[in-house]
Amino acid sequence: MLEPGLGTPDPFVSMPAPSVKGRLFGGLFFFLALLCAGFSLYNSTHAAGLVGRHGTLTVERCWIDHGSRHHSDKTVCAGTFRADDGTTVDHEATITADRERGDRVPVQQTVSGYLATGFGEIWRWCALFFLGWIVAALGIPFAATGIMPSRGQAVAVGRLIAGTRASAWMKRLVLGGAGGAALSLYLAWIF
């Protein structure tokens, strides 16, 4: 069906009906955004030294972990961790960082390993928090309309909310998330 006078297909003709699956799909984006926020909060509080055991990792060796085909290469360094309070010594501590042998890296011990501390690390984890805003924004059209996207219809679902409060919130989250992430990454780079 063509729109009168425009000669372009009407994007609403072939749209599927709203469903619980569509709302759940939108909710999945909100859940992923919450995971980003939680992961960011957990790691940034450790990087700030607010939780965990503070100490120093003395680098003894480094290698490049090629990971899988879906992940990029990363440098992993291993060495000895000594807690500042003298209670813990771990001779097999590892950290994902590009360091030289003999470097003394201030770290915070977490449940799953060690994280570097400092302002740069805090801002790097804050960037993940703002990226979560963008993930949440991507779920708004689906949660608001209840339409589960099929091939080639994701953009059309976004058009359905044009001019609504949902659209305004989507724009705010995208702009705020992009701006916050850019500023956070800039500050991480400076420090």
Side-chain angles (χ1 to χ4, degrees), residues 39 162 178:
F39 196 66

Side-chain angles (χ1 to χ4, degrees), residues 13 52 185:
V13 169
L185 290 172

Side-chain angles (χ1 to χ4, degrees), residues 18-35 132-150 154 157-158 161 166 170 173:
S19 68
V20 173
K21 284 174 46 177
R23 299 223 191 270
L24 289 175
F25 184 70
L28 174 66
F29 283 92
F30 298 135
F31 178 72
L32 292 173
L34 284 175
L35 283 178
W133 287 22
I134 297 171
V135 172
L138 294 175
I140 287 177
F142 308 109
T145 63
I147 295 176
M148 182 75 172
S150 59
V157 172
I161 65 167
M170 183 178 171
L173 284 173

Side-chain angles (χ1 to χ4, degrees), residues 81-99:
F81 169 78
R82 295 187 192 284
D84 287 350
D85 60 10
T87 59
T88 305
V89 175
D90 181 1
H91 295 287
E92 296 182 20
T94 61
I95 187 171
T96 303
D98 190 12
R99 302 293 181 153

Side-chain angles (χ1 to χ4, degrees), residues 6 11 23 42 83 90 110 118 126 137 139-140 143-144 147 159-160 174 177 184:
L6 295 179
R23 299 223 191 270
Y42 177 83
D90 181 1
T110 70
C126 285
I140 287 177
I147 295 176
R159 288 185 198 142
L160 285 176
V174 168
S184 296

Side-chain angles (χ1 to χ4, degrees), residues 124 143 145 169:
R124 188 168 66 90
T145 63
W169 274 106

